[in-house]
Amino acid sequence: MKSETPKEQSYDVIIVGGAIMGSSTAWFLSDNKDFNGKVLVVEKDSSYEFASTTHTNSCMRQQFSEELNVRISQFAADFVKNIRTYMGNDDRVPELSIQNYGYMYLADNEAFAQVLRENQKVQLDAGAGTELMTAEQIKKNYPFYNVDDIVLGSINTVDEGFWDGSTVFDWWRRQAGERGIEYITNEVVSMAKNAAGTRVESVTLKSGETIACGQVVNASGPRAARTAAMAGITVPVEPRKRFTWVFAAEQPLDRDLPLTIDPSGVHVRENGGGTYLAGGHSDVDPAVDHSDFTMDQSLWENHIWPVLATRIPQFEAIKITSEWAGHYAYNVFDHNAILGSHTEVENFIFLNGFSGHGLQQSPAMGRATSELLTYGEYRTLDLTPFNYERIINNQPIIEKAII
Ligand SMILES: Cc1cc2nc3c(=O)[nH]c(=O)nc-3n(C[C@H](O)[C@H](O)[C@H](O)COP(=O)(O)OP(=O)(O)OC[C@H]3O[C@@H](n4cnc5c(N)ncnc54)[C@H](O)[C@@H]3O)c2cc1C
């Protein structure tokens, strides 16, 4: 891909990575009247062929164990449902909605059922509509499930299901560009700090130019640790492979399939037109090479399909129509977002570690990061608990609802 040269030699903000997180931040900066700085977004692959953003399953949920994650998704739902209003009543921006089939968490033992009960309390307190269901209630509402081993289910059909993340992404980029945010195709390959080691002074691009920066944002997804290393910083984020299979059922279900999280960890959801989308990963789940997107057919044959056909017997007869492997930017410390400034390199801002739920977090993350860049603090939703500092202080925030 041909490298592009930035127009300026110095920017107030340089964002490394122009996928959904980088673009959300860029757009929210462009939308803030208090921010008057120059912004450069450097994206190494403007086709986004290998980004997490283009491998996503594009769903949102309110069912988290951490209240802050529920609040973050509530903002996502509000943003998606009111996107045109948020985007200045621009009538080119399409109206969007959420396909509310809900996530159905299934527990096959009392210990996990208790986790679902505790999570429901957190969610209800935050205003979510989570309902618990016995096996009988599940069977009554969704007769296609085999519930023989099920102790409890948890589902919420308000602001939970598929949304069109790629349209939001497209419009953030488009409008940010129209408002003067500069996107270039290039790669940040190194950073230089001041003598005290407290600030990144410049980034160097693959094409050779060195560009000065006021603040630098690490929005490089599964490459977060590589980007941080350029500033001599560590961040506990690894690329972990996640597989997706889309299949057509010979006998489609008679109603929408919630995004079902089987107790085995395999998940499957409605995909429209008699097709369904399933995902999962191997029991052995190492960090992988950034270029490794090979499929694992044995995982499908020996694990995913048998689990699906046991849970939903109608899925005995299915045909795969497409499949792909993508990378989670997996936060091995506590599976939650890593945000805010570095504790010593104060103008290095993290936007990392979303561990498979970043698409729905992108509106709140971009808004919060734009506030931090503008005011030095969060002004709407306080995301301080997710700041990088908690890693230094060894204070994990464990999100129990990870898929
Ligand atoms: C299979 C799968 C299913 C998922 N399902 C869901 C879901 O249903 N709901 C949900 O909320 N989330 C989901 N996610 C997670 C979600 O897709 C991600 O959290 C989100 O897309 C992360 O966006 P990002 O911008 O941080 O990272 P990415 O999309 O990976 O973007 C990072 C960008 O940085 C660029 N870059 C990296 N290094 C450099 C550099 N040095 N210089 C220039 N550019 C650089 C890359 O080219 C890339 O474009 C899923 C992820 C996967 C893989």
mmCIF file of all heavy atoms in Angstrom, residues 333 388-396:
data_model
loop_
_atom_site.group_PDB
_atom_site.id
_atom_site.type_symbol
_atom_site.label_atom_id
_atom_site.label_comp_id
_atom_site.label_asym_id
_atom_site.label_seq_id
_atom_site.Cartn_x
_atom_site.Cartn_y
_atom_site.Cartn_z
ATOM 1 N N PHE A 333 -4.496 -8.980 31.582
ATOM 2 C CA PHE A 333 -4.503 -8.556 32.994
ATOM 3 C C PHE A 333 -5.898 -8.701 33.599
ATOM 4 O O PHE A 333 -6.084 -9.347 34.618
ATOM 5 C CB PHE A 333 -4.003 -7.112 33.076
ATOM 6 C CG PHE A 333 -3.983 -6.533 34.465
ATOM 7 C CD1 PHE A 333 -3.067 -6.983 35.411
ATOM 8 C CD2 PHE A 333 -4.862 -5.515 34.816
ATOM 9 C CE1 PHE A 333 -3.052 -6.428 36.684
ATOM 10 C CE2 PHE A 333 -4.847 -4.961 36.085
ATOM 11 C CZ PHE A 333 -3.941 -5.424 37.029
ATOM 12 N N TYR A 388 -4.793 3.196 32.866
ATOM 13 C CA TYR A 388 -3.593 2.338 32.866
ATOM 14 C C TYR A 388 -3.008 2.149 34.265
ATOM 15 O O TYR A 388 -2.461 1.095 34.587
ATOM 16 C CB TYR A 388 -2.553 2.994 31.947
ATOM 17 C CG TYR A 388 -1.238 2.259 31.856
ATOM 18 C CD1 TYR A 388 -1.090 1.174 30.998
ATOM 19 C CD2 TYR A 388 -0.137 2.648 32.619
ATOM 20 C CE1 TYR A 388 0.117 0.500 30.905
ATOM 21 C CE2 TYR A 388 1.078 1.975 32.534
ATOM 22 C CZ TYR A 388 1.191 0.905 31.671
ATOM 23 O OH TYR A 388 2.376 0.235 31.581
ATOM 24 N N GLU A 389 -3.157 3.179 35.087
ATOM 25 C CA GLU A 389 -2.604 3.167 36.438
ATOM 26 C C GLU A 389 -2.963 1.891 37.209
ATOM 27 O O GLU A 389 -2.193 1.408 38.030
ATOM 28 C CB GLU A 389 -3.196 4.373 37.172
ATOM 29 C CG GLU A 389 -2.282 4.981 38.174
ATOM 30 C CD GLU A 389 -2.877 6.266 38.731
ATOM 31 O OE1 GLU A 389 -3.936 6.719 38.242
ATOM 32 O OE2 GLU A 389 -2.277 6.776 39.671
ATOM 33 N N ARG A 390 -4.164 1.340 36.956
ATOM 34 C CA ARG A 390 -4.575 0.168 37.729
ATOM 35 C C ARG A 390 -3.663 -1.025 37.465
ATOM 36 O O ARG A 390 -3.558 -1.937 38.304
ATOM 37 C CB ARG A 390 -6.041 -0.208 37.421
ATOM 38 C CG ARG A 390 -6.272 -1.010 36.147
ATOM 39 C CD ARG A 390 -7.738 -1.303 35.963
ATOM 40 N NE ARG A 390 -8.051 -2.181 34.854
ATOM 41 C CZ ARG A 390 -8.087 -1.835 33.567
ATOM 42 N NH1 ARG A 390 -7.791 -0.592 33.212
ATOM 43 N NH2 ARG A 390 -8.390 -2.712 32.637
ATOM 44 N N ILE A 391 -3.004 -1.021 36.299
ATOM 45 C CA ILE A 391 -2.103 -2.134 35.995
ATOM 46 C C ILE A 391 -0.837 -1.988 36.837
ATOM 47 O O ILE A 391 -0.376 -2.951 37.449
ATOM 48 C CB ILE A 391 -1.796 -2.157 34.478
ATOM 49 C CG1 ILE A 391 -3.104 -2.506 33.768
ATOM 50 C CG2 ILE A 391 -0.706 -3.154 34.141
ATOM 51 C CD1 ILE A 391 -3.109 -2.237 32.309
ATOM 52 N N ILE A 392 -0.310 -0.771 36.918
ATOM 53 C CA ILE A 392 0.869 -0.505 37.745
ATOM 54 C C ILE A 392 0.556 -0.842 39.207
ATOM 55 O O ILE A 392 1.370 -1.399 39.922
ATOM 56 C CB ILE A 392 1.265 0.997 37.634
ATOM 57 C CG1 ILE A 392 1.516 1.379 36.181
ATOM 58 C CG2 ILE A 392 2.439 1.331 38.530
ATOM 59 C CD1 ILE A 392 2.719 0.745 35.566
ATOM 60 N N ASN A 393 -0.669 -0.488 39.644
ATOM 61 C CA ASN A 393 -1.050 -0.723 41.045
ATOM 62 C C ASN A 393 -1.588 -2.129 41.302
ATOM 63 O O ASN A 393 -2.021 -2.443 42.404
ATOM 64 C CB ASN A 393 -2.126 0.295 41.471
ATOM 65 C CG ASN A 393 -1.588 1.708 41.422
ATOM 66 O OD1 ASN A 393 -0.385 1.920 41.491
ATOM 67 N ND2 ASN A 393 -2.483 2.681 41.288
ATOM 68 N N ASN A 394 -1.580 -2.941 40.254
ATOM 69 C CA ASN A 394 -2.084 -4.318 40.346
ATOM 70 C C ASN A 394 -3.495 -4.382 40.945
ATOM 71 O O ASN A 394 -3.757 -5.121 41.893
ATOM 72 C CB ASN A 394 -1.108 -5.194 41.152
ATOM 73 C CG ASN A 394 -1.394 -6.673 40.927
ATOM 74 O OD1 ASN A 394 -1.993 -7.052 39.920
ATOM 75 N ND2 ASN A 394 -0.995 -7.506 41.879
ATOM 76 N N GLN A 395 -4.385 -3.560 40.371
ATOM 77 C CA GLN A 395 -5.781 -3.549 40.829
ATOM 78 C C GLN A 395 -6.704 -3.927 39.669
ATOM 79 O O GLN A 395 -7.315 -3.055 39.035
ATOM 80 C CB GLN A 395 -6.154 -2.153 41.340
ATOM 81 C CG GLN A 395 -5.431 -1.793 42.616
ATOM 82 C CD GLN A 395 -5.574 -0.321 42.977
ATOM 83 O OE1 GLN A 395 -5.649 0.548 42.103
ATOM 84 N NE2 GLN A 395 -5.579 -0.049 44.258
ATOM 85 N N PRO A 396 -6.789 -5.230 39.371
ATOM 86 C CA PRO A 396 -7.624 -5.641 38.233
ATOM 87 C C PRO A 396 -9.110 -5.377 38.469
ATOM 88 O O PRO A 396 -9.576 -5.417 39.607
ATOM 89 C CB PRO A 396 -7.358 -7.151 38.114
ATOM 90 C CG PRO A 396 -6.828 -7.560 39.445
ATOM 91 C CD PRO A 396 -6.153 -6.364 40.039
#
